[in-house]
Short mmCIF file of all heavy atoms in Angstrom, two decimals:
data_model
loop_
_atom_site.label_atom_id
_atom_site.label_comp_id
_atom_site.label_asym_id
_atom_site.label_seq_id
_atom_site.Cartn_x
_atom_site.Cartn_y
_atom_site.Cartn_z
N LEU M 3 -3.83 -14.15 -11.43
CA LEU M 3 -2.92 -13.09 -11.01
C LEU M 3 -1.53 -13.65 -10.71
O LEU M 3 -0.52 -13.08 -11.09
CB LEU M 3 -3.50 -12.40 -9.77
CG LEU M 3 -2.89 -11.09 -9.33
CD1 LEU M 3 -3.08 -10.03 -10.38
CD2 LEU M 3 -3.53 -10.63 -8.02
N PHE M 4 -1.49 -14.80 -10.03
CA PHE M 4 -0.20 -15.43 -9.69
C PHE M 4 0.53 -15.87 -10.94
O PHE M 4 1.75 -15.76 -11.02
CB PHE M 4 -0.41 -16.61 -8.75
CG PHE M 4 -0.73 -16.18 -7.35
CD1 PHE M 4 -1.95 -16.45 -6.78
CD2 PHE M 4 0.21 -15.49 -6.59
CE1 PHE M 4 -2.25 -16.03 -5.50
CE2 PHE M 4 -0.07 -15.07 -5.31
CZ PHE M 4 -1.30 -15.35 -4.76
N THR M 7 2.08 -12.80 -12.61
CA THR M 7 3.26 -12.26 -11.93
C THR M 7 4.44 -13.23 -12.05
O THR M 7 5.57 -12.81 -12.15
CB THR M 7 2.98 -11.94 -10.45
OG1 THR M 7 2.29 -13.02 -9.88
CG2 THR M 7 2.17 -10.70 -10.29
N LYS M 8 4.13 -14.54 -12.05
CA LYS M 8 5.19 -15.55 -12.20
C LYS M 8 5.88 -15.35 -13.57
O LYS M 8 7.11 -15.37 -13.67
CB LYS M 8 4.57 -16.95 -12.08
CG LYS M 8 5.54 -18.10 -12.19
CD LYS M 8 6.35 -18.26 -10.91
CE LYS M 8 7.58 -19.11 -11.15
NZ LYS M 8 8.63 -18.90 -10.18
N LEU M 10 5.97 -12.67 -15.33
CA LEU M 10 6.70 -11.40 -15.31
C LEU M 10 8.04 -11.53 -14.58
O LEU M 10 9.05 -10.98 -15.01
CB LEU M 10 5.82 -10.34 -14.64
CG LEU M 10 6.10 -8.90 -15.01
CD1 LEU M 10 5.96 -8.67 -16.49
CD2 LEU M 10 5.15 -7.98 -14.26
N GLU M 11 8.01 -12.29 -13.49
CA GLU M 11 9.26 -12.56 -12.74
C GLU M 11 10.27 -13.24 -13.64
O GLU M 11 11.45 -12.88 -13.66
CB GLU M 11 8.96 -13.52 -11.59
CG GLU M 11 8.59 -12.87 -10.30
CD GLU M 11 8.22 -13.91 -9.25
OE1 GLU M 11 8.98 -14.84 -9.00
OE2 GLU M 11 7.11 -13.79 -8.68
N THR M 72 -1.77 -2.92 -14.56
CA THR M 72 -1.63 -2.06 -13.37
C THR M 72 -0.97 -2.79 -12.19
O THR M 72 -1.47 -2.76 -11.07
CB THR M 72 -2.97 -1.44 -12.91
OG1 THR M 72 -3.86 -2.51 -12.59
CG2 THR M 72 -3.57 -0.53 -13.93
N LEU M 73 0.16 -3.42 -12.49
CA LEU M 73 0.87 -4.12 -11.41
C LEU M 73 1.79 -3.13 -10.69
O LEU M 73 2.15 -2.09 -11.23
CB LEU M 73 1.70 -5.26 -11.99
CG LEU M 73 0.88 -6.39 -12.63
CD1 LEU M 73 1.78 -7.35 -13.38
CD2 LEU M 73 0.10 -7.15 -11.58
N ILE M 74 2.17 -3.49 -9.48
CA ILE M 74 3.00 -2.67 -8.56
C ILE M 74 2.82 -1.15 -8.77
O ILE M 74 3.79 -0.45 -9.04
CB ILE M 74 4.50 -3.07 -8.63
CG1 ILE M 74 5.03 -3.09 -10.09
CG2 ILE M 74 4.78 -4.39 -7.98
CD1 ILE M 74 6.56 -3.07 -10.16
N PRO M 75 1.58 -0.66 -8.64
CA PRO M 75 1.35 0.76 -8.91
C PRO M 75 2.26 1.70 -8.13
O PRO M 75 2.66 2.74 -8.63
CB PRO M 75 -0.12 0.97 -8.53
CG PRO M 75 -0.52 -0.22 -7.74
CD PRO M 75 0.36 -1.34 -8.16
N GLU M 76 2.64 1.31 -6.91
CA GLU M 76 3.46 2.20 -6.08
C GLU M 76 4.90 2.29 -6.58
O GLU M 76 5.52 3.35 -6.50
CB GLU M 76 3.48 1.67 -4.64
CG GLU M 76 2.18 1.89 -3.91
CD GLU M 76 2.00 3.34 -3.50
OE1 GLU M 76 2.70 3.78 -2.59
OE2 GLU M 76 1.16 4.02 -4.10
N ARG M 78 5.97 1.19 -9.72
CA ARG M 78 6.05 0.97 -11.17
C ARG M 78 7.02 1.96 -11.85
O ARG M 78 7.86 1.57 -12.65
CB ARG M 78 4.66 1.11 -11.79
CG ARG M 78 4.59 0.69 -13.21
CD ARG M 78 3.17 0.44 -13.61
NE ARG M 78 2.30 1.55 -13.24
CZ ARG M 78 0.98 1.44 -13.12
NH1 ARG M 78 0.40 0.30 -13.31
NH2 ARG M 78 0.26 2.49 -12.80
N PHE M 139 14.64 -6.81 -6.08
CA PHE M 139 13.32 -7.44 -6.23
C PHE M 139 13.01 -8.45 -5.13
O PHE M 139 11.87 -8.61 -4.77
CB PHE M 139 13.22 -8.12 -7.60
CG PHE M 139 13.02 -7.13 -8.72
CD1 PHE M 139 14.06 -6.81 -9.58
CD2 PHE M 139 11.81 -6.49 -8.87
CE1 PHE M 139 13.89 -5.88 -10.58
CE2 PHE M 139 11.62 -5.55 -9.87
CZ PHE M 139 12.66 -5.25 -10.73
N LYS M 140 14.05 -9.15 -4.65
CA LYS M 140 13.75 -10.23 -3.70
C LYS M 140 14.20 -9.96 -2.27
O LYS M 140 13.61 -10.49 -1.33
CB LYS M 140 14.43 -11.52 -4.18
CG LYS M 140 13.66 -12.19 -5.30
CD LYS M 140 14.24 -13.55 -5.55
CE LYS M 140 13.40 -14.30 -6.57
NZ LYS M 140 13.99 -15.54 -6.98
N ASP M 141 15.26 -9.20 -2.11
CA ASP M 141 15.84 -9.05 -0.78
C ASP M 141 16.46 -7.66 -0.64
O ASP M 141 17.68 -7.52 -0.64
CB ASP M 141 16.90 -10.16 -0.59
CG ASP M 141 17.47 -10.17 0.81
OD1 ASP M 141 16.89 -9.53 1.70
OD2 ASP M 141 18.51 -10.83 1.01
N ARG M 212 11.42 1.62 -0.86
CA ARG M 212 10.71 0.36 -0.60
C ARG M 212 10.64 0.04 0.88
O ARG M 212 9.72 -0.63 1.34
CB ARG M 212 11.42 -0.80 -1.30
CG ARG M 212 10.83 -1.12 -2.65
CD ARG M 212 11.26 -2.49 -3.11
NE ARG M 212 10.51 -3.53 -2.42
CZ ARG M 212 10.71 -4.81 -2.59
NH1 ARG M 212 11.64 -5.24 -3.42
NH2 ARG M 212 9.98 -5.70 -1.95
N ILE M 214 10.29 2.14 3.34
CA ILE M 214 9.44 3.06 4.14
C ILE M 214 8.00 2.55 4.16
O ILE M 214 7.48 2.20 3.14
CB ILE M 214 9.51 4.51 3.57
CG1 ILE M 214 10.92 5.06 3.77
CG2 ILE M 214 8.50 5.41 4.25
CD1 ILE M 214 11.19 6.36 3.09
N THR P 32 -4.46 3.66 -4.31
CA THR P 32 -3.19 3.23 -4.90
C THR P 32 -3.42 2.29 -6.09
O THR P 32 -2.48 1.71 -6.61
CB THR P 32 -2.29 2.51 -3.87
OG1 THR P 32 -3.03 1.40 -3.35
CG2 THR P 32 -1.84 3.40 -2.76
N ARG P 33 -4.67 2.13 -6.47
CA ARG P 33 -5.08 1.31 -7.61
C ARG P 33 -4.72 -0.17 -7.45
O ARG P 33 -4.52 -0.88 -8.42
CB ARG P 33 -4.50 1.86 -8.92
CG ARG P 33 -5.23 3.12 -9.38
CD ARG P 33 -4.45 3.84 -10.42
NE ARG P 33 -3.24 4.41 -9.85
CZ ARG P 33 -2.22 4.85 -10.56
NH1 ARG P 33 -2.22 4.75 -11.85
NH2 ARG P 33 -1.16 5.37 -9.97
N MET P 34 -4.61 -0.62 -6.21
CA MET P 34 -4.34 -2.05 -5.98
C MET P 34 -5.65 -2.83 -6.13
O MET P 34 -5.64 -3.99 -6.53
CB MET P 34 -3.78 -2.28 -4.57
CG MET P 34 -2.40 -1.73 -4.35
SD MET P 34 -1.15 -2.56 -5.33
CE MET P 34 -0.78 -4.00 -4.33
N ARG P 155 11.75 -13.43 1.51
CA ARG P 155 12.33 -12.92 0.26
C ARG P 155 11.37 -13.08 -0.92
O ARG P 155 11.65 -13.81 -1.88
CB ARG P 155 13.64 -13.61 -0.05
CG ARG P 155 14.69 -13.29 0.98
CD ARG P 155 16.00 -13.85 0.60
NE ARG P 155 16.98 -13.56 1.62
CZ ARG P 155 18.24 -13.96 1.57
NH1 ARG P 155 18.67 -14.64 0.57
NH2 ARG P 155 19.06 -13.65 2.54
N ILE P 156 10.23 -12.45 -0.79
CA ILE P 156 9.22 -12.54 -1.84
C ILE P 156 9.54 -11.54 -2.94
O ILE P 156 9.86 -10.38 -2.64
CB ILE P 156 7.81 -12.25 -1.25
CG1 ILE P 156 7.54 -13.20 -0.08
CG2 ILE P 156 6.73 -12.39 -2.31
CD1 ILE P 156 6.39 -12.78 0.79
N HIS P 157 9.45 -12.00 -4.18
CA HIS P 157 9.73 -11.12 -5.32
C HIS P 157 8.74 -9.96 -5.34
O HIS P 157 7.56 -10.16 -5.02
CB HIS P 157 9.63 -11.92 -6.61
CG HIS P 157 10.24 -11.23 -7.79
ND1 HIS P 157 9.63 -10.17 -8.42
CD2 HIS P 157 11.41 -11.43 -8.45
CE1 HIS P 157 10.39 -9.77 -9.42
NE2 HIS P 157 11.48 -10.52 -9.46
N LEU P 158 9.22 -8.77 -5.71
CA LEU P 158 8.36 -7.57 -5.71
C LEU P 158 7.06 -7.80 -6.48
O LEU P 158 5.99 -7.38 -6.05
CB LEU P 158 9.14 -6.40 -6.32
CG LEU P 158 8.43 -5.06 -6.41
CD1 LEU P 158 8.13 -4.49 -5.03
CD2 LEU P 158 9.25 -4.05 -7.19
N PHE P 159 7.16 -8.49 -7.62
CA PHE P 159 5.95 -8.74 -8.43
C PHE P 159 4.98 -9.68 -7.71
O PHE P 159 3.77 -9.48 -7.75
CB PHE P 159 6.33 -9.34 -9.78
CG PHE P 159 7.14 -8.42 -10.64
CD1 PHE P 159 7.98 -8.92 -11.63
CD2 PHE P 159 7.08 -7.05 -10.47
CE1 PHE P 159 8.74 -8.08 -12.42
CE2 PHE P 159 7.84 -6.19 -11.25
CZ PHE P 159 8.67 -6.71 -12.23
N ARG P 160 5.54 -10.71 -7.06
CA ARG P 160 4.65 -11.66 -6.38
C ARG P 160 4.06 -11.00 -5.13
O ARG P 160 2.90 -11.23 -4.79
CB ARG P 160 5.42 -12.91 -6.00
CG ARG P 160 4.47 -14.10 -5.85
CD ARG P 160 5.19 -15.38 -5.60
NE ARG P 160 6.18 -15.67 -6.64
CZ ARG P 160 6.88 -16.81 -6.66
NH1 ARG P 160 6.69 -17.71 -5.73
NH2 ARG P 160 7.75 -17.02 -7.62
N LEU P 161 4.87 -10.17 -4.50
CA LEU P 161 4.39 -9.44 -3.31
C LEU P 161 3.16 -8.61 -3.69
O LEU P 161 2.21 -8.48 -2.92
CB LEU P 161 5.51 -8.53 -2.80
CG LEU P 161 5.22 -7.73 -1.53
CD1 LEU P 161 5.02 -8.66 -0.35
CD2 LEU P 161 6.35 -6.76 -1.24
N ASP P 162 3.19 -8.08 -4.91
CA ASP P 162 2.06 -7.29 -5.42
C ASP P 162 0.78 -8.14 -5.43
O ASP P 162 -0.27 -7.71 -4.96
CB ASP P 162 2.41 -6.81 -6.83
CG ASP P 162 1.35 -5.91 -7.40
OD1 ASP P 162 1.26 -4.76 -6.96
OD2 ASP P 162 0.61 -6.36 -8.30
N SER P 163 0.89 -9.37 -5.96
CA SER P 163 -0.30 -10.25 -6.01
C SER P 163 -0.76 -10.60 -4.60
O SER P 163 -1.96 -10.55 -4.30
CB SER P 163 0.02 -11.57 -6.72
OG SER P 163 0.74 -11.34 -7.87
N TYR P 164 0.20 -10.96 -3.74
CA TYR P 164 -0.17 -11.31 -2.36
C TYR P 164 -0.87 -10.12 -1.68
O TYR P 164 -1.86 -10.29 -0.98
CB TYR P 164 1.07 -11.68 -1.53
CG TYR P 164 1.69 -13.01 -1.90
CD1 TYR P 164 3.05 -13.24 -1.71
CD2 TYR P 164 0.93 -14.05 -2.42
CE1 TYR P 164 3.65 -14.45 -2.05
CE2 TYR P 164 1.51 -15.26 -2.75
CZ TYR P 164 2.87 -15.45 -2.57
OH TYR P 164 3.44 -16.64 -2.90
N ARG P 166 -2.52 -7.62 -3.07
CA ARG P 166 -3.87 -7.38 -3.60
C ARG P 166 -4.88 -8.34 -2.98
O ARG P 166 -5.95 -7.94 -2.52
CB ARG P 166 -3.89 -7.61 -5.11
CG ARG P 166 -3.42 -6.42 -5.89
CD ARG P 166 -3.12 -6.81 -7.30
NE ARG P 166 -2.17 -5.89 -7.87
CZ ARG P 166 -2.49 -4.86 -8.64
NH1 ARG P 166 -3.74 -4.65 -8.94
NH2 ARG P 166 -1.57 -4.05 -9.08
N ILE P 167 -4.51 -9.64 -2.95
CA ILE P 167 -5.44 -10.63 -2.42
C ILE P 167 -5.66 -10.39 -0.92
O ILE P 167 -6.79 -10.45 -0.44
CB ILE P 167 -4.91 -12.05 -2.72
CG1 ILE P 167 -5.07 -12.30 -4.22
CG2 ILE P 167 -5.65 -13.11 -1.92
CD1 ILE P 167 -4.34 -13.48 -4.74
N ASN P 245 1.38 3.15 2.22
CA ASN P 245 1.58 2.29 1.06
C ASN P 245 0.71 1.04 1.24
O ASN P 245 0.21 0.79 2.34
CB ASN P 245 3.07 2.01 0.82
CG ASN P 245 3.67 1.13 1.88
OD1 ASN P 245 3.00 0.26 2.44
ND2 ASN P 245 4.94 1.34 2.18
N PRO P 246 0.52 0.25 0.17
CA PRO P 246 -0.44 -0.86 0.29
C PRO P 246 -0.11 -1.83 1.41
O PRO P 246 -1.02 -2.36 2.06
CB PRO P 246 -0.33 -1.54 -1.07
CG PRO P 246 0.11 -0.47 -2.00
CD PRO P 246 1.01 0.40 -1.19
#
Side-chain angles (χ1 to χ4, degrees):
Chain M
L3 193 63
F4 285 115
T7 46
K8 181 76 197 158
L10 204 58
E11 270 176 52
T72 60
L73 295 170
I74 52 163
E76 287 285 288
R78 189 162 51 200
F139 285 105
K140 281 190 175 173
D141 185 14
R212 265 197 77 182
I214 293 171
Chain P
T32 57
R33 285 165 292 164
M34 292 294 277
R155 295 186 182 178
I156 304 165
H157 195 286
L158 180 66
F159 295 155
R160 204 175 305 184
L161 182 65
D162 184 73
S163 315
Y164 288 152
R166 277 165 205 262
I167 289 167
N245 69 32

